[in-house]
Every structure is written in C-alpha cells, then in structure tokens.
C-alpha cells in the first residue's frame, strides 16, 4: 500500500480509535476470548478484521481471532478470493458451506426482497458454527449507519424503538454478538476499504434489489446529513441517551404509580408572611 498520506493516516487512526472505544465501552472483548470474525467479503467485514488484527497486537489483553465465511452457494461466487486473502495475511479461517441460496430462491417470490430470510438462515448457521468451534464472541461488521438505519426501519415499519445493539446475547444464551464498528461511519469504512484495496466480493443475491426499504432509509439519512452535517452523529448519540420516563412504554417506566409527592417543597412562597 505504500506510505500513507496525512489524511489517510488520520482515517486509519480514527477507525482504530473508534473501534477501540466501542470495544471498551461495551466490554466486547475480554482476556482469553476466541472471537469469530464473520467475513462476508464486503467492505465492512474486511475493515473490521483489519482493525481487530491491529488491536490484537496493541491491546493489554490476549484474545484469539478466527475468520469465518459462509459460502451460500450463490452462482458465480468466487470461492478462491477469501481463502487467498486470509492466507496472504496469515489469519486462520473456516469456510462454512451451506446452500441457503436455493432455499431463498424457492421460498421468496421473484421480485420480493430476500434480505430478511437470507439473513435469518445465515445467522442461524453462523451461531451454530460459533458454538461448534468454541467461539466466545461473534464479531459482525455493522457500523453506525447500519444501526441508525435499523432503528428507523423498526420505527417506520415495525412500530418499535429498536436498533442493533453493539453487544447482544442470543436468545438461547449460547452466543454473544459484538459489533466493533458501532461507532464508525460508513463513509470512513468505504474510504478505508479503497485505500487498503480489499478484494471486495459483491452480493449477487440481493444487491440488485433497488426497492429495499433499507435503501430508502439510507437515502433519507444521507439527505439529512447533507442538509445538516452532524445530524447522524446526534441521532446515534440519542440511542445512548434514552429517558424512559419521557416516552410511553409502560414496561420501562411505572406511569401508573405517578402521583403528587406530598413531601415536596411548595413551589410558591407565602409572600404575606415575609
């Protein structure tokens, strides 16, 4: 790659710092962890692996990294690309072969979005494999923009205030998912992937679906950011500053028990007795 320019060096340092802060804030990686890095072949997971390899060298704790890619048997998938890359940088890896492509094509009518089913099938397979190899953490490459997009998708289409947490324990308790890039923005990751010349593998299954709701939300957020720079950062900060008493979820706050506090000091002074 050669010598980095000043701006390129700042970009690399920023991504490493933000990932390190997210890992520390949420205690994502602990001493002795075996971290399964889920590598899709996209810019996000490549960047995550690159950053984790650096942090592994400088962190005050010891942890193991193993890359795992799931070959979903998509037609034309370049099977040689990821193994060649991982061998070139000396990272241990596994390729998990599972024909989810055929299942998705069979179950989803032509023209309908495939992401939801594809994601569930992939997640289930990777959860099981993580358990098989004794991984204590599963690292996914979702970034700050992914988290915000998911928040708005759930609000607009699911009626819930829910996003992607930086750290999550699976419902059965067998897996802990971490997202080290939670504080990183997509533009930086895209620039870094180009800088590092990662061998990107496009997703041919769903990449051509232009009408995905996520794409609509992404464009909405990008437009907001263009009109008001910094708004994305403010919105993400809001996810970390939740005030249950100012919302309307009765499971999070006991609204039914609210009443006047008879012991509270009077709001007005008795002027006549001054």
């Amino acid at each position: 790659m050669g010598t980095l320019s000043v701006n390129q060096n700042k970009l690399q340092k920023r991504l490493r710092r933000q990932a390190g802060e997210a890992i520390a804030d949420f205690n994502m990686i602990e001493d002795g962890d075996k971290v399964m890095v889920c590598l899709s072949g996209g810019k996000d997971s490549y960047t995550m692996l690159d950053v984790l390899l650096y942090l592994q060298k400088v962190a005050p704790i010891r942890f193991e990294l193993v890359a795992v890619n799931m070959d979903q048997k998509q037609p034309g998938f370049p099977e040689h690309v990821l193994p060649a890359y991982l061998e070139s940088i000396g990272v241990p890896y596994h390729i998990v072969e599972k024909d989810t492509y055929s299942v998705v094509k069979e179950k989803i009518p032509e023209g309908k979005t495939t992401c939801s089913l594809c994601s569930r099938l992939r997640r289930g397979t990777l959860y099981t494999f993580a358990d098989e190899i004794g991984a204590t953490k599963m690292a996914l490459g979702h970034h700050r923009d992914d988290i915000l997009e998911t928040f708005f998708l759930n609000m607009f289409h699911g009626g819930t205030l829910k996003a992607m947490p930086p750290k999550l324990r699976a419902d059965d308790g067998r897996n802990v998912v971490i997202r080290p890039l939670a504080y990183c923005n997509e533009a930086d990751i895209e620039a870094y992937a180009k800088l590092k010349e990662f061998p990107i593998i496009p997703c041919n299954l769903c990449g051509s679906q232009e009408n995905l709701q996520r794409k609509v939300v992404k464009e909405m957020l990008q437009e907001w950011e263009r009109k008001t720079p910094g708004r994305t950062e403010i919105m993400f900060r809001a996810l970390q500053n939740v005030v249950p008493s100012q919302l309307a979820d009765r499971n999070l706050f006991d609204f039914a028990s609210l009443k006047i506090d008879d012991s509270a000091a009077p709001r007005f002074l008795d002027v006549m007795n001054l």
Side-chain angles (χ1 to χ4, degrees), residues 100-112:
T100 60
Y101 176 85
S102 296
V103 177
V104 171
K105 297 302 286 185
E106 177 187 346
K107 299 293 184 183
I108 304 297
E110 193 67 32
K112 297 294 183 179

Side-chain angles (χ1 to χ4, degrees), residues 16-28 55 180 183:
R16 289 173 172 178
R17 172 179 53 79
Q18 290 172 336
E21 289 174 352
I23 290 170
D25 286 351
F26 294 92
N27 194 29
M28 291 187 190
L55 295 176
Y183 290 173

Side-chain angles (χ1 to χ4, degrees), residues 121-140:
L121 293 172
R122 183 172 63 248
R123 185 167 58 245
T125 301
L126 290 173
Y127 275 10
T128 300
F129 190 73
D131 205 13
E132 289 176 4
I133 65 173
T136 53
K137 304 287 171 58
M138 284 177 57
L140 303 181

Side-chain angles (χ1 to χ4, degrees), residues 81-100:
V81 172
L82 279 170
Y85 174 75
L86 293 168
E87 287 169 10
S88 73
I89 61 175
V91 173
Y93 69 91
H94 298 278
I95 304 296
V96 181
E97 297 188 4
K98 186 81 168 180
D99 187 4
T100 60

